[in-house]
mmCIF file of all heavy atoms in Angstrom:
data_model
loop_
_atom_site.group_PDB
_atom_site.id
_atom_site.type_symbol
_atom_site.label_atom_id
_atom_site.label_comp_id
_atom_site.label_asym_id
_atom_site.label_seq_id
_atom_site.Cartn_x
_atom_site.Cartn_y
_atom_site.Cartn_z
ATOM 1 N N ALA A 28 -10.278 4.391 -65.297
ATOM 2 C CA ALA A 28 -10.779 4.332 -63.924
ATOM 3 C C ALA A 28 -12.118 3.611 -63.930
ATOM 4 O O ALA A 28 -13.163 4.189 -64.260
ATOM 5 C CB ALA A 28 -10.918 5.738 -63.360
ATOM 6 N N ASN A 29 -12.110 2.348 -63.567
ATOM 7 C CA ASN A 29 -13.282 1.489 -63.675
ATOM 8 C C ASN A 29 -14.059 1.451 -62.354
ATOM 9 O O ASN A 29 -13.603 0.856 -61.380
ATOM 10 C CB ASN A 29 -12.823 0.073 -64.057
ATOM 11 C CG ASN A 29 -13.975 -0.842 -64.409
ATOM 12 O OD1 ASN A 29 -15.130 -0.531 -64.147
ATOM 13 N ND2 ASN A 29 -13.662 -1.971 -65.002
ATOM 14 N N SER A 30 -15.232 2.074 -62.342
ATOM 15 C CA SER A 30 -16.063 2.087 -61.134
ATOM 16 C C SER A 30 -16.897 0.818 -60.992
ATOM 17 O O SER A 30 -17.559 0.626 -59.979
ATOM 18 C CB SER A 30 -17.003 3.294 -61.166
ATOM 19 O OG SER A 30 -18.013 3.097 -62.151
ATOM 20 N N LEU A 31 -16.890 -0.011 -62.040
ATOM 21 C CA LEU A 31 -17.672 -1.258 -62.095
ATOM 22 C C LEU A 31 -19.173 -0.997 -62.218
ATOM 23 O O LEU A 31 -19.966 -1.891 -61.990
ATOM 24 C CB LEU A 31 -17.360 -2.164 -60.897
ATOM 25 C CG LEU A 31 -15.884 -2.570 -60.777
ATOM 26 C CD1 LEU A 31 -15.611 -3.213 -59.431
ATOM 27 C CD2 LEU A 31 -15.509 -3.520 -61.897
ATOM 28 N N GLY A 32 -19.541 0.239 -62.566
ATOM 29 C CA GLY A 32 -20.941 0.524 -62.891
ATOM 30 C C GLY A 32 -21.269 0.040 -64.294
ATOM 31 O O GLY A 32 -20.401 -0.465 -65.017
ATOM 32 N N ALA A 33 -22.513 0.166 -64.689
ATOM 33 C CA ALA A 33 -22.954 -0.357 -65.983
ATOM 34 C C ALA A 33 -22.148 0.232 -67.133
ATOM 35 O O ALA A 33 -21.709 -0.479 -68.036
ATOM 36 C CB ALA A 33 -24.450 -0.070 -66.183
ATOM 37 N N GLU A 34 -21.941 1.554 -67.110
ATOM 38 C CA GLU A 34 -21.197 2.201 -68.173
ATOM 39 C C GLU A 34 -19.753 1.693 -68.238
ATOM 40 O O GLU A 34 -19.209 1.451 -69.322
ATOM 41 C CB GLU A 34 -21.194 3.723 -67.969
ATOM 42 C CG GLU A 34 -22.531 4.401 -68.174
ATOM 43 C CD GLU A 34 -23.459 4.299 -66.968
ATOM 44 O OE1 GLU A 34 -23.006 3.776 -65.910
ATOM 45 O OE2 GLU A 34 -24.625 4.735 -67.082
ATOM 46 N N ASP A 35 -19.146 1.554 -67.068
ATOM 47 C CA ASP A 35 -17.757 1.114 -67.044
ATOM 48 C C ASP A 35 -17.610 -0.347 -67.436
ATOM 49 O O ASP A 35 -16.543 -0.754 -67.934
ATOM 50 C CB ASP A 35 -17.173 1.363 -65.667
ATOM 51 C CG ASP A 35 -16.889 2.841 -65.425
ATOM 52 O OD1 ASP A 35 -17.206 3.640 -66.338
ATOM 53 O OD2 ASP A 35 -16.381 3.206 -64.370
ATOM 54 N N MET A 36 -18.652 -1.126 -67.258
ATOM 55 C CA MET A 36 -18.592 -2.503 -67.752
ATOM 56 C C MET A 36 -18.674 -2.539 -69.279
ATOM 57 O O MET A 36 -18.076 -3.404 -69.914
ATOM 58 C CB MET A 36 -19.703 -3.341 -67.124
ATOM 59 C CG MET A 36 -19.473 -3.649 -65.635
ATOM 60 S SD MET A 36 -17.818 -4.297 -65.298
ATOM 61 C CE MET A 36 -17.804 -5.781 -66.329
ATOM 62 N N VAL A 37 -19.383 -1.584 -69.875
ATOM 63 C CA VAL A 37 -19.361 -1.442 -71.346
ATOM 64 C C VAL A 37 -17.933 -1.167 -71.814
ATOM 65 O O VAL A 37 -17.422 -1.817 -72.734
ATOM 66 C CB VAL A 37 -20.303 -0.326 -71.817
ATOM 67 C CG1 VAL A 37 -20.091 -0.010 -73.303
ATOM 68 C CG2 VAL A 37 -21.764 -0.711 -71.585
ATOM 69 N N LEU A 38 -17.265 -0.222 -71.161
ATOM 70 C CA LEU A 38 -15.907 0.112 -71.546
ATOM 71 C C LEU A 38 -14.934 -1.033 -71.274
ATOM 72 O O LEU A 38 -14.026 -1.285 -72.067
ATOM 73 C CB LEU A 38 -15.449 1.373 -70.800
ATOM 74 C CG LEU A 38 -16.039 2.681 -71.305
ATOM 75 C CD1 LEU A 38 -15.589 3.841 -70.407
ATOM 76 C CD2 LEU A 38 -15.629 2.958 -72.749
ATOM 77 N N THR A 39 -15.134 -1.738 -70.171
ATOM 78 C CA THR A 39 -14.292 -2.900 -69.884
ATOM 79 C C THR A 39 -14.362 -3.894 -71.019
ATOM 80 O O THR A 39 -13.335 -4.394 -71.496
ATOM 81 C CB THR A 39 -14.769 -3.578 -68.575
ATOM 82 O OG1 THR A 39 -14.617 -2.667 -67.487
ATOM 83 C CG2 THR A 39 -13.950 -4.836 -68.280
ATOM 84 N N ASP A 40 -15.578 -4.186 -71.474
ATOM 85 C CA ASP A 40 -15.757 -5.159 -72.546
ATOM 86 C C ASP A 40 -15.172 -4.673 -73.856
ATOM 87 O O ASP A 40 -14.523 -5.441 -74.576
ATOM 88 C CB ASP A 40 -17.247 -5.466 -72.703
ATOM 89 C CG ASP A 40 -17.499 -6.700 -73.542
ATOM 90 O OD1 ASP A 40 -17.358 -7.818 -73.011
ATOM 91 O OD2 ASP A 40 -17.796 -6.552 -74.737
ATOM 92 N N ILE A 41 -15.384 -3.399 -74.175
ATOM 93 C CA ILE A 41 -14.864 -2.847 -75.428
ATOM 94 C C ILE A 41 -13.336 -2.850 -75.445
ATOM 95 O O ILE A 41 -12.702 -3.270 -76.422
ATOM 96 C CB ILE A 41 -15.417 -1.428 -75.673
ATOM 97 C CG1 ILE A 41 -16.922 -1.496 -75.998
ATOM 98 C CG2 ILE A 41 -14.657 -0.748 -76.803
ATOM 99 C CD1 ILE A 41 -17.566 -0.133 -76.136
ATOM 100 N N ILE A 42 -12.736 -2.394 -74.351
ATOM 101 C CA ILE A 42 -11.275 -2.360 -74.275
ATOM 102 C C ILE A 42 -10.679 -3.744 -74.409
ATOM 103 O O ILE A 42 -9.711 -3.967 -75.152
ATOM 104 C CB ILE A 42 -10.829 -1.697 -72.953
ATOM 105 C CG1 ILE A 42 -11.132 -0.198 -72.999
ATOM 106 C CG2 ILE A 42 -9.346 -1.938 -72.689
ATOM 107 C CD1 ILE A 42 -10.947 0.513 -71.675
ATOM 108 N N ASP A 43 -11.279 -4.703 -73.721
ATOM 109 C CA ASP A 43 -10.760 -6.065 -73.757
ATOM 110 C C ASP A 43 -11.032 -6.738 -75.099
ATOM 111 O O ASP A 43 -10.152 -7.373 -75.690
ATOM 112 C CB ASP A 43 -11.394 -6.885 -72.621
ATOM 113 C CG ASP A 43 -10.701 -8.223 -72.412
ATOM 114 O OD1 ASP A 43 -9.640 -8.243 -71.765
ATOM 115 O OD2 ASP A 43 -11.224 -9.243 -72.920
ATOM 116 N N ARG A 44 -12.225 -6.563 -75.620
ATOM 117 C CA ARG A 44 -12.637 -7.206 -76.870
ATOM 118 C C ARG A 44 -11.818 -6.699 -78.055
ATOM 119 O O ARG A 44 -11.511 -7.463 -78.985
ATOM 120 C CB ARG A 44 -14.132 -6.947 -77.118
ATOM 121 C CG ARG A 44 -14.722 -7.655 -78.317
ATOM 122 C CD ARG A 44 -16.203 -7.314 -78.443
ATOM 123 N NE ARG A 44 -16.963 -7.759 -77.274
ATOM 124 C CZ ARG A 44 -17.482 -8.982 -77.126
ATOM 125 N NH1 ARG A 44 -17.287 -9.885 -78.094
ATOM 126 N NH2 ARG A 44 -18.156 -9.306 -76.052
ATOM 127 N N HIS A 45 -11.447 -5.414 -78.030
ATOM 128 C CA HIS A 45 -10.738 -4.823 -79.154
ATOM 129 C C HIS A 45 -9.224 -4.690 -78.883
ATOM 130 O O HIS A 45 -8.516 -4.064 -79.670
ATOM 131 C CB HIS A 45 -11.351 -3.471 -79.489
ATOM 132 C CG HIS A 45 -12.752 -3.562 -80.014
ATOM 133 N ND1 HIS A 45 -13.050 -3.740 -81.347
ATOM 134 C CD2 HIS A 45 -13.951 -3.541 -79.357
ATOM 135 C CE1 HIS A 45 -14.361 -3.800 -81.497
ATOM 136 N NE2 HIS A 45 -14.927 -3.683 -80.311
ATOM 137 N N HIS A 46 -8.778 -5.272 -77.783
ATOM 138 C CA HIS A 46 -7.346 -5.332 -77.473
ATOM 139 C C HIS A 46 -6.706 -3.934 -77.486
ATOM 140 O O HIS A 46 -5.651 -3.728 -78.080
ATOM 141 C CB HIS A 46 -6.615 -6.261 -78.446
ATOM 142 C CG HIS A 46 -7.265 -7.590 -78.620
ATOM 143 N ND1 HIS A 46 -7.272 -8.543 -77.631
ATOM 144 C CD2 HIS A 46 -7.966 -8.122 -79.671
ATOM 145 C CE1 HIS A 46 -7.928 -9.625 -78.057
ATOM 146 N NE2 HIS A 46 -8.379 -9.375 -79.284
ATOM 147 N N ILE A 47 -7.370 -2.999 -76.820
ATOM 148 C CA ILE A 47 -6.864 -1.624 -76.763
ATOM 149 C C ILE A 47 -5.909 -1.505 -75.574
ATOM 150 O O ILE A 47 -6.208 -1.939 -74.466
ATOM 151 C CB ILE A 47 -8.036 -0.630 -76.645
ATOM 152 C CG1 ILE A 47 -8.997 -0.817 -77.831
ATOM 153 C CG2 ILE A 47 -7.506 0.801 -76.615
ATOM 154 C CD1 ILE A 47 -10.272 0.013 -77.712
ATOM 155 N N ASP A 48 -4.749 -0.916 -75.824
ATOM 156 C CA ASP A 48 -3.675 -0.875 -74.827
ATOM 157 C C ASP A 48 -3.924 0.214 -73.779
ATOM 158 O O ASP A 48 -3.294 1.268 -73.788
ATOM 159 C CB ASP A 48 -2.337 -0.645 -75.539
ATOM 160 C CG ASP A 48 -1.155 -0.758 -74.578
ATOM 161 O OD1 ASP A 48 -1.336 -1.335 -73.495
ATOM 162 O OD2 ASP A 48 -0.059 -0.267 -74.930
ATOM 163 N N ILE A 49 -4.876 -0.066 -72.904
ATOM 164 C CA ILE A 49 -5.230 0.849 -71.822
ATOM 165 C C ILE A 49 -5.227 0.068 -70.511
ATOM 166 O O ILE A 49 -5.863 -0.978 -70.405
ATOM 167 C CB ILE A 49 -6.617 1.479 -72.060
ATOM 168 C CG1 ILE A 49 -6.577 2.384 -73.292
ATOM 169 C CG2 ILE A 49 -7.072 2.269 -70.827
ATOM 170 C CD1 ILE A 49 -7.922 2.991 -73.655
ATOM 171 N N GLU A 50 -4.500 0.581 -69.524
ATOM 172 C CA GLU A 50 -4.512 -0.044 -68.201
ATOM 173 C C GLU A 50 -5.867 0.188 -67.533
ATOM 174 O O GLU A 50 -6.557 1.168 -67.825
ATOM 175 C CB GLU A 50 -3.383 0.538 -67.343
ATOM 176 C CG GLU A 50 -1.992 0.251 -67.850
ATOM 177 C CD GLU A 50 -0.929 0.854 -66.961
ATOM 178 O OE1 GLU A 50 -1.194 1.058 -65.762
ATOM 179 O OE2 GLU A 50 0.161 1.148 -67.482
ATOM 180 N N MET A 51 -6.215 -0.702 -66.620
ATOM 181 C CA MET A 51 -7.519 -0.608 -65.977
ATOM 182 C C MET A 51 -7.348 -0.756 -64.462
ATOM 183 O O MET A 51 -6.650 -1.648 -63.997
ATOM 184 C CB MET A 51 -8.435 -1.706 -66.527
ATOM 185 C CG MET A 51 -9.855 -1.673 -65.986
ATOM 186 S SD MET A 51 -10.976 -2.766 -66.949
ATOM 187 C CE MET A 51 -10.276 -4.382 -66.584
ATOM 188 N N PHE A 52 -7.998 0.143 -63.712
ATOM 189 C CA PHE A 52 -7.916 0.047 -62.266
ATOM 190 C C PHE A 52 -9.265 0.396 -61.634
ATOM 191 O O PHE A 52 -10.134 1.024 -62.274
ATOM 192 C CB PHE A 52 -6.825 0.974 -61.714
ATOM 193 C CG PHE A 52 -7.142 2.441 -61.826
ATOM 194 C CD1 PHE A 52 -7.845 3.107 -60.837
ATOM 195 C CD2 PHE A 52 -6.706 3.170 -62.928
ATOM 196 C CE1 PHE A 52 -8.138 4.462 -60.940
ATOM 197 C CE2 PHE A 52 -6.981 4.533 -63.042
ATOM 198 C CZ PHE A 52 -7.687 5.175 -62.051
ATOM 199 N N SER A 53 -9.435 0.002 -60.390
ATOM 200 C CA SER A 53 -10.634 0.334 -59.635
ATOM 201 C C SER A 53 -10.218 0.760 -58.246
ATOM 202 O O SER A 53 -9.142 0.375 -57.758
ATOM 203 C CB SER A 53 -11.575 -0.884 -59.571
ATOM 204 O OG SER A 53 -12.845 -0.501 -59.086
ATOM 205 N N LEU A 54 -11.063 1.555 -57.593
ATOM 206 C CA LEU A 54 -10.790 2.045 -56.257
ATOM 207 C C LEU A 54 -11.641 1.267 -55.240
ATOM 208 O O LEU A 54 -12.864 1.281 -55.325
ATOM 209 C CB LEU A 54 -11.110 3.537 -56.156
ATOM 210 C CG LEU A 54 -10.448 4.438 -57.193
ATOM 211 C CD1 LEU A 54 -10.909 5.877 -57.000
ATOM 212 C CD2 LEU A 54 -8.930 4.351 -57.125
ATOM 213 N N ASP A 55 -10.994 0.575 -54.315
ATOM 214 C CA ASP A 55 -11.711 -0.089 -53.243
ATOM 215 C C ASP A 55 -11.706 0.839 -52.037
ATOM 216 O O ASP A 55 -10.709 0.979 -51.335
ATOM 217 C CB ASP A 55 -11.044 -1.421 -52.894
ATOM 218 C CG ASP A 55 -11.801 -2.192 -51.825
ATOM 219 O OD1 ASP A 55 -12.723 -1.615 -51.213
ATOM 220 O OD2 ASP A 55 -11.470 -3.370 -51.591
#
Side-chain angles (χ1 to χ4, degrees):
N29 190 346
S30 71
L31 301 168
E34 291 81 5
D35 286 2
M36 289 310 301
V37 170
L38 286 175
T39 297
D40 194 79
I41 290 175
I42 289 170
D43 192 80
R44 185 180 299 274
H45 294 272
H46 311 290
I47 303 172
D48 187 18
I49 294 177
E50 296 180 26
M51 183 167 66
F52 70 88
S53 191
L54 306 178
D55 183 349

